[in-house]
Amino acid sequence: MRIAVATPGGNVGRHVVAMLIRAGLRPLLLARRPERLASAVRAEADVAGVDLYDADGVVAATRGVEALYWVDPTTGSEDPFGDYTRATAAVVRAVAENQIGRTVFQSSVGAELRHGAGEIDGLAATEVALEAAGAAVTHLRCGFFFTNLELQLEAIRAGRIPIILPVDQPMAWVAPRDIAEVAVTRLLSRDWSGRVVQAVHGPADLTWAEAAEIVSAAVGRPVTVEQISDDAMRELLRASGMTAGLTDAVIGMSTGLRDGFVPEQSRTVRTTTPTTLAAWAYDTLRPQLAGH
């Protein structure tokens, strides 16, 4: 079975790669910078040096592939939606021209809205385009990644995380490794076709206030959250070096999901995954804060 993995060094992709290797496969890794992959991983996989925005390159790299794990690459540009459009064109061409039998697409909770959810709108557009191309595709509608907290290390050290969602609004929190597990089972299974939507909600819906309590206990230091204005968050993001276009797209993810949003798929045994925020924070976040 020939399986290709986009963004193999990403928060989810690195787990997808490891699981496929443990399953006895030799995955094809689509990496813009192959040299950044661990040598031990490169020894167990085939690696194609390709820019995921380069449609010709992606088509060439994925010839003979039976299943594809696709992630729209992270964008840091002034025009994030233009970047999503280019990535979408690349995967659609690859799936169509190479007749890839199964595609698992890393999407997000909120993509079902199609419009009005900031950067998530770019993922929604990829969903729509893959479906229009007639691809057999599973859209993974993922919750809020635990690893997003790694972007807040300085705020956690300071004991205060600024947010623009209400502190008491529950949302799905999920470990990237659990997303990878769902993805790999879909990639390996031939017993599905057509369009599938698979939510990946983690073990529990948590408010930011609850998450802060969990993180405080796991890392051994007090952490609180404070809801700030959209404009104040915009200033923080711009001060961090984020482009104006990306700032608007990132803020839109929260503003689009904070007014009574309910995910299309409810929490069930199918959408619930096991890794808790407490376990992840203790194992992953606590060591990064040690000594500070």
Side-chain angles (χ1 to χ4, degrees):
M1 188 183 300
R2 187 68 159 160
I3 297 178
V5 180
T7 65
N11 285 320
V12 177
R14 63 189 179 90
H15 294 293
V16 171
V17 171
M19 290 175 190
L20 291 173
I21 290 171
R22 287 196 293 269
L25 277 71
R26 188 177 181 87
L28 169 65
L29 312 185
L30 308 178
R32 188 160 64 95
R33 294 190 177 92
E35 69 279 4
R36 292 188 175 183
L37 298 172
S39 58
V41 170
R42 295 200 303 270
E44 297 284 351
D46 298 321
V47 183
V50 60
D51 186 332
L52 299 185
Y53 296 127
D54 175 11
D56 289 339
V58 174
V59 170
T62 55
R63 289 194 180 103
V65 163
E66 178 179 337
L68 168 66
Y69 184 68
W70 183 262
V71 181
D72 287 336
T74 300
T75 175
S77 77
E78 175 60 36
D79 182 18
F81 296 108
D83 291 344
Y84 277 111
T85 298
R86 291 191 295 137
T88 296
V91 67
V92 167
R93 270 193 58 195
V95 168
E97 294 182 25
N98 295 328
Q99 298 183 321
I100 296 174
R102 299 182 306 286
T103 298
V104 177
F105 172 53
Q106 183 180 303
S107 188
S108 172
V109 165
E112 59 264 47
L113 295 175
R114 297 309 193 211
H115 301 286
E119 195 174 357
I120 296 171
D121 291 355
L123 303 176
T126 305
E127 287 193 14
V128 171
L130 284 168
E131 293 166 19
V137 59
T138 292
H139 303 306
L140 299 185
R141 297 263 181 84
C142 306
F144 187 79
F145 284 24
F146 293 170
T147 46
N148 288 335
L149 289 170
E150 294 179 295
L151 305 176
Q152 298 276 3
L153 289 179
E154 291 305 316
I156 293 171
R157 290 188 182 108
R160 171 185 166 274
I161 302 175
I163 62 172
I164 57 175
L165 285 173
V167 298
D168 59 352
Q169 177 178 323
M171 61 181 181
W173 289 65
V174 64
R177 187 198 177 282
D178 289 358
I179 297 170
E181 184 177 86
V182 175
V184 168
T185 57
R186 285 285 175 180
L187 290 167
L188 294 176
S189 173
R190 294 187 173 98
D191 293 332
W192 62 274
S193 61
R195 172 188 184 268
V196 178
V197 175
Q198 173 69 58
V200 192
H201 285 163
D205 292 350
L206 299 171
T207 67
W208 264 107
E210 290 168 334
E213 289 183 7
I214 291 168
V215 169
S216 295
V219 304
R221 65 176 71 202
V223 179
T224 61
V225 291
E226 179 185 354
Q227 186 176 5
I228 64 175
S229 70
D230 297 352
D231 286 342
M233 180 63 76
R234 185 172 284 105
E235 290 178 9
L236 286 175
L237 295 178
R238 294 290 286 126
S240 73
M242 190 176 289
T243 67
L246 184 55
T247 294
D248 289 341
V250 168
I251 288 177
M253 289 192 289
S254 291
T255 58
L257 303 184
R258 71 183 175 191
D259 296 323
F261 170 75
V262 177
E264 181 178 72
Q265 288 190 310
S266 61
R267 177 173 294 283
T268 66
V269 66
R270 183 185 293 266
T271 66
T272 297
T273 52
T275 303
T276 65
L277 177 59
W280 177 87
Y282 189 88
D283 291 341
T284 302
L285 203 59
R286 184 184 179 98
Q288 296 181 64
L289 296 166
H292 293 275

